[in-house]
Amino acid sequence: MNHAGPESDTESSLMEHLLELRTRLLRGLAGLVLVLLLLLPFANRLYAWLAAPLLDKLPAGGQLIAVQVASPFFTPLKLAFFVALLVSAPWLLYQAWAFVAPGLYQREKRLAMPLLVSAVTLFYAGCAFAFFVVLPAVFGFLAAIKPEGVAMMTDINAYLDFVLVIFLAFGASFQLPVALVILVALGWVTPDQLRAGRGYAIVGIFVLAAIITPPDVVSQLLLAVPMCLLYEAGIVASRVVARRHAADAAD
């Protein structure tokens, strides 16, 4: 009579986890590919929409140029993939959540889900802020200070790379409240310590803004000021988390 030993149970559990992981990865990839296929017919229209903040600041007749032969084809495709990644992000995160959630405690689940939703929302908010506020201000500033007789004729691929870097910088920077809440939840800092270190945080924010934004004062201020406000929001949210942890510990 055969009895399954601990090693057999461990191997079976590991195989189940690997199969579950593969299923979640395939589902996430399928969702991303589906969104990409739906967006491909509108790739050129998406690029025209993305180029509007720069084109609006150029003189009459100003336009973007394609330096490389294949840029008019590949650049809109790259943009469509980035947009598909943004659109499908909730689905991809849900697949990751569905994989790790069974191994979490109930208290961890109550904290993780709001953090995931907040992180996605803040990333979208950062991208929207960059597109509707930062890019018009930056391009207006650059167009105003260009030397006399110099025409701004930007390559379409270089423009896309520039805008994507701005999107990623602002989307990631807007995660500051989530990062502060996680630090407090892990017990690494307290809300009082965050409040006491506000001055150092503001200096660090301005230094970070100077590093990750283009070399102009406008974009640096437009990143640093919202991050300072988000730092304050993170302190408020961390206090709520700290009170909940204290209440759970008292129960």
Side-chain angles (χ1 to χ4, degrees), residues 10 30 55 59-60 67 73 79 84 86 95 98 108 110 134 144 146 152 162 166 191 230:
T10 301
L55 295 176
V67 176
F73 175 75
L79 174 60
L86 283 180
Q95 296 303 320
E108 295 172 335
R110 288 201 307 267
V134 177
K146 70 179 180 63
M152 292 181 62
F162 176 84
I166 293 293
L230 290 169

Side-chain angles (χ1 to χ4, degrees), residues 44-63:
N44 288 337
R45 195 174 303 177
L46 284 173
Y47 193 90
W49 175 72
L50 188 72
L54 176 59
L55 295 176
D56 290 342
K57 302 300 179 181
L58 295 180
Q63 58 185 350

Side-chain angles (χ1 to χ4, degrees), residues 215-231:
D216 65 275
V217 178
V218 176
S219 59
Q220 292 170 12
L221 288 175
L222 288 175
L223 177 59
V225 173
M227 283 190 68
C228 291
L229 297 176
L230 290 169
Y231 185 85

Side-chain angles (χ1 to χ4, degrees), residues 80-128:
F81 176 77
F82 180 79
V83 175
L85 198 58
L86 283 180
V87 173
S88 60
W91 172 250
L92 297 174
L93 288 175
Y94 169 76
Q95 296 303 320
W97 168 256
F99 177 71
V100 302
L104 299 178
Y105 294 108
Q106 191 62 35
R107 185 179 65 182
E108 295 172 335
K109 291 181 181 179
R110 288 201 307 267
L111 179 62
M113 182 55 73
L115 285 179
L116 282 176
V117 174
S118 299
V120 174
T121 303
L122 286 171
F123 190 89
Y124 287 159
C127 292

